[in-house]
Amino acid sequence: MGPVTEVAEQFTELYGRAPDGVWSAPGRVNLIGEYTDVNEGFVMPLALPHTVVAAVSRRTDGVLRLHSADIDAPVVELRLDDLTPLSDGGWAAYPAGVVWALRAAGHPVGGADLHLASTVPTGAGLSSSAALEVVTALALNDLFGLGLSRPELAVLSQRAENAFVGVPCGVMDQMASACCTEGHALHLDCRDLSIRQVPFDLAAHGLRLLVVDTRVKHELGDGAYAERRAGCEAGALALGVSHLRDVPYDELDAALATLTDERVRRYVRHIVTDDARVERIIGLLDAGDVRGIGTALTEGHASLRDDFRISCPELDLAVETANAAGAHGARMTGGGFGGSALLLVEAADAETVTKSVEAAFAAAGYTAPRVFPAVASAGARREA
Ligand code: ADP
Ligand code: MG
């Protein structure tokens, strides 16, 4: 029995009627461009085959019922009129926040029953939260005939996470989950949300992208994320631009020379060079030099470690070990302080590199990492 049928059957058992439909939305890994989304710059995520699958039925009585197969808790029942931002609703705040954001934007959502199950690891920097939001938004869009576009659903999902849950994330994760397509990475301009699907078929090149989930849980709420964002804003203010995206790479040295705060200077350097690395990687992929992107990935890691300072010993070890074991390049991905690393390897070397990383973690006394291939998969969709 596939996950779609299974989730539909669980829904029926739980709510005593069949769902109106089943939807899915994927987690993502970001190939390059970290914290650039909140600086209105460029990113390049790809969707994972791991998804949140949600069975949903329409209600018209203003009641919202939510249940997750992955959380040991009874059905959460809420009244739409009572939805209050930042009320610490636990996991249910994510889907409830989407309903709240849709209604706050004037869209007629009358209530729903929702049951979900997910294969996206949580808190691993792979955006289980965005997948949960986007699957809810897409289901409600279809069920209530809202006619919203994918980017509109992504922006409303981000608003749910920012204003209702209280996590100050950028728009990359929701855009990735909503807009990625199979076999492509998503080149996204976070200023105007324009996108380009960039062919990313590593298998055709004999290559593989491995995700190393370090099992170190990142905590975006711990203030470091907000501190980095504030530091970037201070940099933009000092440089007289609205966002760091507006600092051209070839004017970076001159810009840095005017900054007196060493910390702000490092943050600016990371953002401007990472935006440039997105463009560099696009250029290499367009030229067919897929192996060539490895160097840019490893440079991106150094920038996050030394300038932005959001890496951690487990992520550094994964990257260093992989590169020493023959990877073309590697970097941490996501918000930092744990979560996952990405390794670009020859398909033929995947097993050796994986074993090296596992052995290095064991030798360091770290929890065994979870290593799996990242194959560019489809974005959110209706399944049944
Ligand atoms: P990430 O998005 O990197 O996985 P976050 O901390 O942003 O990490 O989001 C994780 C949170 O999303 C969980 O703590 C939980 O509240 C919610 N969540 C994710 N997956 C599920 C799920 N399958 N069932 C219920 N809640 C989930
Ligand atoms: Mg998240």
PDB file of all heavy atoms in Angstrom, residues 66 71 73 76-78 82-97 100 160-167 219 221:
ATOM      1  N   LEU A  66      -7.148  18.831  12.957  1.00  0.00           N
ATOM      2  CA  LEU A  66      -5.803  18.533  12.466  1.00  0.00           C
ATOM      3  C   LEU A  66      -5.247  17.321  13.189  1.00  0.00           C
ATOM      4  O   LEU A  66      -5.352  17.215  14.414  1.00  0.00           O
ATOM      5  CB  LEU A  66      -4.875  19.734  12.724  1.00  0.00           C
ATOM      6  CG  LEU A  66      -5.319  21.076  12.140  1.00  0.00           C
ATOM      7  CD1 LEU A  66      -4.520  22.217  12.747  1.00  0.00           C
ATOM      8  CD2 LEU A  66      -5.168  21.054  10.624  1.00  0.00           C
ATOM      9  N   ILE A  71       2.896  12.350  15.155  1.00  0.00           N
ATOM     10  CA  ILE A  71       2.894  12.977  16.477  1.00  0.00           C
ATOM     11  C   ILE A  71       1.930  12.196  17.349  1.00  0.00           C
ATOM     12  O   ILE A  71       0.784  11.979  16.956  1.00  0.00           O
ATOM     13  CB  ILE A  71       2.414  14.453  16.392  1.00  0.00           C
ATOM     14  CG1 ILE A  71       3.290  15.236  15.428  1.00  0.00           C
ATOM     15  CG2 ILE A  71       2.331  15.097  17.777  1.00  0.00           C
ATOM     16  CD1 ILE A  71       4.398  16.029  16.029  1.00  0.00           C
ATOM     17  N   ALA A  73      -0.409  12.399  19.527  1.00  0.00           N
ATOM     18  CA  ALA A  73      -1.339  13.328  20.172  1.00  0.00           C
ATOM     19  C   ALA A  73      -2.686  13.215  19.481  1.00  0.00           C
ATOM     20  O   ALA A  73      -2.747  12.886  18.288  1.00  0.00           O
ATOM     21  CB  ALA A  73      -0.812  14.763  20.067  1.00  0.00           C
ATOM     22  N   VAL A  76      -6.374  17.761  16.951  1.00  0.00           N
ATOM     23  CA  VAL A  76      -6.480  19.139  17.451  1.00  0.00           C
ATOM     24  C   VAL A  76      -7.697  19.767  16.793  1.00  0.00           C
ATOM     25  O   VAL A  76      -7.819  19.739  15.567  1.00  0.00           O
ATOM     26  CB  VAL A  76      -5.210  19.949  17.087  1.00  0.00           C
ATOM     27  CG1 VAL A  76      -5.369  21.410  17.500  1.00  0.00           C
ATOM     28  CG2 VAL A  76      -3.978  19.331  17.733  1.00  0.00           C
ATOM     29  N   GLU A  77      -8.617  20.300  17.595  1.00  0.00           N
ATOM     30  CA  GLU A  77      -9.812  20.931  17.022  1.00  0.00           C
ATOM     31  C   GLU A  77      -9.819  22.422  17.355  1.00  0.00           C
ATOM     32  O   GLU A  77      -9.673  22.808  18.510  1.00  0.00           O
ATOM     33  CB  GLU A  77     -11.082  20.255  17.561  1.00  0.00           C
ATOM     34  CG  GLU A  77     -12.332  20.805  16.893  1.00  0.00           C
ATOM     35  CD  GLU A  77     -13.568  19.926  17.104  1.00  0.00           C
ATOM     36  OE1 GLU A  77     -13.410  18.694  17.243  1.00  0.00           O
ATOM     37  OE2 GLU A  77     -14.671  20.492  17.126  1.00  0.00           O
ATOM     38  N   LEU A  78      -9.941  23.226  16.312  1.00  0.00           N
ATOM     39  CA  LEU A  78      -9.880  24.685  16.475  1.00  0.00           C
ATOM     40  C   LEU A  78     -11.070  25.327  15.764  1.00  0.00           C
ATOM     41  O   LEU A  78     -11.582  24.772  14.787  1.00  0.00           O
ATOM     42  CB  LEU A  78      -8.581  25.222  15.844  1.00  0.00           C
ATOM     43  CG  LEU A  78      -7.263  24.677  16.406  1.00  0.00           C
ATOM     44  CD1 LEU A  78      -6.130  24.912  15.421  1.00  0.00           C
ATOM     45  CD2 LEU A  78      -6.955  25.337  17.738  1.00  0.00           C
ATOM     46  N   ASP A  82     -11.215  31.670  16.228  1.00  0.00           N
ATOM     47  CA  ASP A  82     -10.369  31.771  17.425  1.00  0.00           C
ATOM     48  C   ASP A  82      -8.876  31.699  17.110  1.00  0.00           C
ATOM     49  O   ASP A  82      -8.059  31.754  18.024  1.00  0.00           O
ATOM     50  CB  ASP A  82     -10.693  30.628  18.405  1.00  0.00           C
ATOM     51  CG  ASP A  82     -12.136  30.711  18.900  1.00  0.00           C
ATOM     52  OD1 ASP A  82     -12.721  31.815  18.796  1.00  0.00           O
ATOM     53  OD2 ASP A  82     -12.664  29.689  19.371  1.00  0.00           O
ATOM     54  N   LEU A  83      -8.513  31.536  15.844  1.00  0.00           N
ATOM     55  CA  LEU A  83      -7.089  31.373  15.519  1.00  0.00           C
ATOM     56  C   LEU A  83      -6.319  32.632  15.905  1.00  0.00           C
ATOM     57  O   LEU A  83      -6.626  33.732  15.438  1.00  0.00           O
ATOM     58  CB  LEU A  83      -6.901  31.094  14.019  1.00  0.00           C
ATOM     59  CG  LEU A  83      -7.449  29.751  13.514  1.00  0.00           C
ATOM     60  CD1 LEU A  83      -7.242  29.624  12.011  1.00  0.00           C
ATOM     61  CD2 LEU A  83      -6.788  28.588  14.248  1.00  0.00           C
ATOM     62  N   THR A  84      -5.329  32.464  16.773  1.00  0.00           N
ATOM     63  CA  THR A  84      -4.577  33.602  17.291  1.00  0.00           C
ATOM     64  C   THR A  84      -3.091  33.398  17.020  1.00  0.00           C
ATOM     65  O   THR A  84      -2.531  32.378  17.414  1.00  0.00           O
ATOM     66  CB  THR A  84      -4.761  33.718  18.824  1.00  0.00           C
ATOM     67  OG1 THR A  84      -6.124  33.438  19.130  1.00  0.00           O
ATOM     68  CG2 THR A  84      -4.365  35.081  19.328  1.00  0.00           C
ATOM     69  N   PRO A  85      -2.447  34.380  16.371  1.00  0.00           N
ATOM     70  CA  PRO A  85      -1.012  34.253  16.111  1.00  0.00           C
ATOM     71  C   PRO A  85      -0.212  34.067  17.398  1.00  0.00           C
ATOM     72  O   PRO A  85      -0.585  34.577  18.453  1.00  0.00           O
ATOM     73  CB  PRO A  85      -0.652  35.583  15.447  1.00  0.00           C
ATOM     74  CG  PRO A  85      -1.922  36.067  14.858  1.00  0.00           C
ATOM     75  CD  PRO A  85      -3.005  35.592  15.771  1.00  0.00           C
ATOM     76  N   LEU A  86       0.890  33.327  17.286  1.00  0.00           N
ATOM     77  CA  LEU A  86       1.866  33.175  18.366  1.00  0.00           C
ATOM     78  C   LEU A  86       1.276  32.582  19.639  1.00  0.00           C
ATOM     79  O   LEU A  86       1.739  32.864  20.735  1.00  0.00           O
ATOM     80  CB  LEU A  86       2.521  34.536  18.688  1.00  0.00           C
ATOM     81  CG  LEU A  86       3.136  35.272  17.492  1.00  0.00           C
ATOM     82  CD1 LEU A  86       3.648  36.642  17.902  1.00  0.00           C
ATOM     83  CD2 LEU A  86       4.257  34.446  16.873  1.00  0.00           C
ATOM     84  N   SER A  87       0.258  31.735  19.482  1.00  0.00           N
ATOM     85  CA  SER A  87      -0.356  31.168  20.683  1.00  0.00           C
ATOM     86  C   SER A  87       0.253  29.822  21.061  1.00  0.00           C
ATOM     87  O   SER A  87      -0.299  29.093  21.870  1.00  0.00           O
ATOM     88  CB  SER A  87      -1.862  31.060  20.510  1.00  0.00           C
ATOM     89  OG  SER A  87      -2.157  30.399  19.297  1.00  0.00           O
ATOM     90  N   ASP A  88       1.399  29.493  20.474  1.00  0.00           N
ATOM     91  CA  ASP A  88       2.148  28.295  20.829  1.00  0.00           C
ATOM     92  C   ASP A  88       1.306  27.028  20.705  1.00  0.00           C
ATOM     93  O   ASP A  88       1.120  26.292  21.668  1.00  0.00           O
ATOM     94  CB  ASP A  88       2.723  28.422  22.253  1.00  0.00           C
ATOM     95  CG  ASP A  88       3.771  27.337  22.508  1.00  0.00           C
ATOM     96  OD1 ASP A  88       4.277  26.770  21.513  1.00  0.00           O
ATOM     97  OD2 ASP A  88       4.066  27.057  23.677  1.00  0.00           O
ATOM     98  N   GLY A  89       0.787  26.788  19.518  1.00  0.00           N
ATOM     99  CA  GLY A  89      -0.074  25.636  19.287  1.00  0.00           C
ATOM    100  C   GLY A  89       0.684  24.362  18.961  1.00  0.00           C
ATOM    101  O   GLY A  89       0.090  23.406  18.483  1.00  0.00           O
ATOM    102  N   GLY A  90       2.010  24.326  19.193  1.00  0.00           N
ATOM    103  CA  GLY A  90       2.778  23.131  18.849  1.00  0.00           C
ATOM    104  C   GLY A  90       2.767  22.928  17.340  1.00  0.00           C
ATOM    105  O   GLY A  90       2.653  23.889  16.572  1.00  0.00           O
ATOM    106  N   TRP A  91       2.816  21.675  16.913  1.00  0.00           N
ATOM    107  CA  TRP A  91       2.914  21.383  15.484  1.00  0.00           C
ATOM    108  C   TRP A  91       1.701  21.925  14.714  1.00  0.00           C
ATOM    109  O   TRP A  91       1.815  22.318  13.560  1.00  0.00           O
ATOM    110  CB  TRP A  91       3.043  19.879  15.269  1.00  0.00           C
ATOM    111  CG  TRP A  91       1.728  19.155  15.384  1.00  0.00           C
ATOM    112  CD1 TRP A  91       1.159  18.644  16.509  1.00  0.00           C
ATOM    113  CD2 TRP A  91       0.807  18.905  14.314  1.00  0.00           C
ATOM    114  NE1 TRP A  91      -0.053  18.094  16.218  1.00  0.00           N
ATOM    115  CE2 TRP A  91      -0.297  18.226  14.871  1.00  0.00           C
ATOM    116  CE3 TRP A  91       0.807  19.176  12.938  1.00  0.00           C
ATOM    117  CZ2 TRP A  91      -1.393  17.840  14.104  1.00  0.00           C
ATOM    118  CZ3 TRP A  91      -0.283  18.782  12.176  1.00  0.00           C
ATOM    119  CH2 TRP A  91      -1.365  18.122  12.765  1.00  0.00           C
ATOM    120  N   ALA A  92       0.526  21.938  15.365  1.00  0.00           N
ATOM    121  CA  ALA A  92      -0.709  22.344  14.682  1.00  0.00           C
ATOM    122  C   ALA A  92      -0.664  23.807  14.258  1.00  0.00           C
ATOM    123  O   ALA A  92      -1.434  24.239  13.391  1.00  0.00           O
ATOM    124  CB  ALA A  92      -1.914  22.096  15.588  1.00  0.00           C
ATOM    125  N   ALA A  93       0.253  24.588  14.847  1.00  0.00           N
ATOM    126  CA  ALA A  93       0.355  26.002  14.477  1.00  0.00           C
ATOM    127  C   ALA A  93       0.732  26.163  12.996  1.00  0.00           C
ATOM    128  O   ALA A  93       0.362  27.164  12.371  1.00  0.00           O
ATOM    129  CB  ALA A  93       1.383  26.708  15.352  1.00  0.00           C
ATOM    130  N   TYR A  94       1.450  25.179  12.432  1.00  0.00           N
ATOM    131  CA  TYR A  94       1.873  25.318  11.028  1.00  0.00           C
ATOM    132  C   TYR A  94       0.669  25.259  10.085  1.00  0.00           C
ATOM    133  O   TYR A  94       0.428  26.215   9.343  1.00  0.00           O
ATOM    134  CB  TYR A  94       2.943  24.282  10.675  1.00  0.00           C
ATOM    135  CG  TYR A  94       4.253  24.515  11.408  1.00  0.00           C
ATOM    136  CD1 TYR A  94       4.484  23.952  12.663  1.00  0.00           C
ATOM    137  CD2 TYR A  94       5.251  25.298  10.859  1.00  0.00           C
ATOM    138  CE1 TYR A  94       5.682  24.165  13.344  1.00  0.00           C
ATOM    139  CE2 TYR A  94       6.452  25.523  11.528  1.00  0.00           C
ATOM    140  CZ  TYR A  94       6.656  24.957  12.773  1.00  0.00           C
ATOM    141  OH  TYR A  94       7.839  25.181  13.436  1.00  0.00           O
ATOM    142  N   PRO A  95      -0.120  24.168  10.101  1.00  0.00           N
ATOM    143  CA  PRO A  95      -1.311  24.169   9.223  1.00  0.00           C
ATOM    144  C   PRO A  95      -2.362  25.208   9.651  1.00  0.00           C
ATOM    145  O   PRO A  95      -2.975  25.843   8.786  1.00  0.00           O
ATOM    146  CB  PRO A  95      -1.857  22.737   9.349  1.00  0.00           C
ATOM    147  CG  PRO A  95      -1.221  22.150  10.557  1.00  0.00           C
ATOM    148  CD  PRO A  95       0.090  22.862  10.741  1.00  0.00           C
ATOM    149  N   ALA A  96      -2.543  25.401  10.952  1.00  0.00           N
ATOM    150  CA  ALA A  96      -3.523  26.407  11.402  1.00  0.00           C
ATOM    151  C   ALA A  96      -3.081  27.797  10.934  1.00  0.00           C
ATOM    152  O   ALA A  96      -3.916  28.620  10.540  1.00  0.00           O
ATOM    153  CB  ALA A  96      -3.664  26.371  12.923  1.00  0.00           C
ATOM    154  N   GLY A  97      -1.783  28.038  10.960  1.00  0.00           N
ATOM    155  CA  GLY A  97      -1.253  29.323  10.514  1.00  0.00           C
ATOM    156  C   GLY A  97      -1.541  29.581   9.042  1.00  0.00           C
ATOM    157  O   GLY A  97      -1.784  30.723   8.637  1.00  0.00           O
ATOM    158  N   TRP A 100      -5.103  30.609   8.824  1.00  0.00           N
ATOM    159  CA  TRP A 100      -5.162  31.990   9.317  1.00  0.00           C
ATOM    160  C   TRP A 100      -4.662  32.978   8.251  1.00  0.00           C
ATOM    161  O   TRP A 100      -5.298  34.004   7.978  1.00  0.00           O
ATOM    162  CB  TRP A 100      -4.324  32.097  10.595  1.00  0.00           C
ATOM    163  CG  TRP A 100      -4.128  33.503  11.081  1.00  0.00           C
ATOM    164  CD1 TRP A 100      -4.980  34.235  11.868  1.00  0.00           C
ATOM    165  CD2 TRP A 100      -3.006  34.355  10.796  1.00  0.00           C
ATOM    166  NE1 TRP A 100      -4.455  35.479  12.087  1.00  0.00           N
ATOM    167  CE2 TRP A 100      -3.252  35.580  11.437  1.00  0.00           C
ATOM    168  CE3 TRP A 100      -1.827  34.188  10.052  1.00  0.00           C
ATOM    169  CZ2 TRP A 100      -2.343  36.651  11.363  1.00  0.00           C
ATOM    170  CZ3 TRP A 100      -0.937  35.246   9.968  1.00  0.00           C
ATOM    171  CH2 TRP A 100      -1.202  36.461  10.628  1.00  0.00           C
ATOM    172  N   ALA A 160       2.421  32.546   7.278  1.00  0.00           N
ATOM    173  CA  ALA A 160       1.948  31.700   8.384  1.00  0.00           C
ATOM    174  C   ALA A 160       3.097  31.406   9.346  1.00  0.00           C
ATOM    175  O   ALA A 160       2.955  31.519  10.565  1.00  0.00           O
ATOM    176  CB  ALA A 160       1.367  30.403   7.834  1.00  0.00           C
ATOM    177  N   GLU A 161       4.251  31.040   8.791  1.00  0.00           N
ATOM    178  CA  GLU A 161       5.383  30.681   9.653  1.00  0.00           C
ATOM    179  C   GLU A 161       5.941  31.911  10.383  1.00  0.00           C
ATOM    180  O   GLU A 161       6.264  31.852  11.567  1.00  0.00           O
ATOM    181  CB  GLU A 161       6.479  29.971   8.840  1.00  0.00           C
ATOM    182  CG  GLU A 161       7.597  29.434   9.730  1.00  0.00           C
ATOM    183  CD  GLU A 161       8.340  28.242   9.162  1.00  0.00           C
ATOM    184  OE1 GLU A 161       7.848  27.605   8.195  1.00  0.00           O
ATOM    185  OE2 GLU A 161       9.427  27.921   9.682  1.00  0.00           O
ATOM    186  N   ASN A 162       6.021  33.045   9.663  1.00  0.00           N
ATOM    187  CA  ASN A 162       6.543  34.280  10.269  1.00  0.00           C
ATOM    188  C   ASN A 162       5.605  34.812  11.350  1.00  0.00           C
ATOM    189  O   ASN A 162       6.010  35.018  12.493  1.00  0.00           O
ATOM    190  CB  ASN A 162       6.691  35.391   9.218  1.00  0.00           C
ATOM    191  CG  ASN A 162       7.823  35.153   8.227  1.00  0.00           C
ATOM    192  OD1 ASN A 162       7.932  35.854   7.234  1.00  0.00           O
ATOM    193  ND2 ASN A 162       8.679  34.164   8.473  1.00  0.00           N
ATOM    194  N   ALA A 163       4.346  35.038  10.958  1.00  0.00           N
ATOM    195  CA  ALA A 163       3.447  35.814  11.818  1.00  0.00           C
ATOM    196  C   ALA A 163       2.626  34.950  12.763  1.00  0.00           C
ATOM    197  O   ALA A 163       2.238  35.407  13.832  1.00  0.00           O
ATOM    198  CB  ALA A 163       2.509  36.649  10.943  1.00  0.00           C
ATOM    199  N   PHE A 164       2.334  33.711  12.369  1.00  0.00           N
ATOM    200  CA  PHE A 164       1.466  32.882  13.219  1.00  0.00           C
ATOM    201  C   PHE A 164       2.295  31.964  14.113  1.00  0.00           C
ATOM    202  O   PHE A 164       2.096  31.895  15.319  1.00  0.00           O
ATOM    203  CB  PHE A 164       0.512  32.066  12.350  1.00  0.00           C
ATOM    204  CG  PHE A 164      -0.632  31.467  13.132  1.00  0.00           C
ATOM    205  CD1 PHE A 164      -1.807  32.183  13.329  1.00  0.00           C
ATOM    206  CD2 PHE A 164      -0.534  30.190  13.685  1.00  0.00           C
ATOM    207  CE1 PHE A 164      -2.864  31.645  14.063  1.00  0.00           C
ATOM    208  CE2 PHE A 164      -1.588  29.646  14.416  1.00  0.00           C
ATOM    209  CZ  PHE A 164      -2.750  30.376  14.603  1.00  0.00           C
ATOM    210  N   VAL A 165       3.274  31.256  13.498  1.00  0.00           N
ATOM    211  CA  VAL A 165       4.130  30.369  14.302  1.00  0.00           C
ATOM    212  C   VAL A 165       5.192  31.198  15.034  1.00  0.00           C
ATOM    213  O   VAL A 165       5.536  30.904  16.176  1.00  0.00           O
ATOM    214  CB  VAL A 165       4.822  29.304  13.413  1.00  0.00           C
ATOM    215  CG1 VAL A 165       5.633  28.331  14.268  1.00  0.00           C
ATOM    216  CG2 VAL A 165       3.787  28.538  12.590  1.00  0.00           C
ATOM    217  N   GLY A 166       5.717  32.231  14.343  1.00  0.00           N
ATOM    218  CA  GLY A 166       6.699  33.098  14.976  1.00  0.00           C
ATOM    219  C   GLY A 166       8.138  32.776  14.616  1.00  0.00           C
ATOM    220  O   GLY A 166       9.053  33.116  15.344  1.00  0.00           O
ATOM    221  N   VAL A 167       8.349  32.114  13.459  1.00  0.00           N
ATOM    222  CA  VAL A 167       9.714  31.829  12.986  1.00  0.00           C
ATOM    223  C   VAL A 167      10.028  32.791  11.837  1.00  0.00           C
ATOM    224  O   VAL A 167       9.302  32.809  10.838  1.00  0.00           O
ATOM    225  CB  VAL A 167       9.847  30.367  12.505  1.00  0.00           C
ATOM    226  CG1 VAL A 167      11.244  30.095  11.960  1.00  0.00           C
ATOM    227  CG2 VAL A 167       9.520  29.397  13.633  1.00  0.00           C
ATOM    228  N   GLU A 219      18.061  24.881  16.020  1.00  0.00           N
ATOM    229  CA  GLU A 219      16.990  25.595  16.714  1.00  0.00           C
ATOM    230  C   GLU A 219      16.955  27.019  16.171  1.00  0.00           C
ATOM    231  O   GLU A 219      17.695  27.888  16.612  1.00  0.00           O
ATOM    232  CB  GLU A 219      17.241  25.623  18.236  1.00  0.00           C
ATOM    233  CG  GLU A 219      16.861  24.349  18.950  1.00  0.00           C
ATOM    234  CD  GLU A 219      15.353  24.062  18.903  1.00  0.00           C
ATOM    235  OE1 GLU A 219      14.574  24.999  18.627  1.00  0.00           O
ATOM    236  OE2 GLU A 219      14.975  22.907  19.132  1.00  0.00           O
ATOM    237  N   GLY A 221      14.831  29.153  16.565  1.00  0.00           N
ATOM    238  CA  GLY A 221      14.260  30.105  17.508  1.00  0.00           C
ATOM    239  C   GLY A 221      15.255  30.615  18.540  1.00  0.00           C
ATOM    240  O   GLY A 221      14.923  31.460  19.352  1.00  0.00           O
TER     241      GLY A 221
END
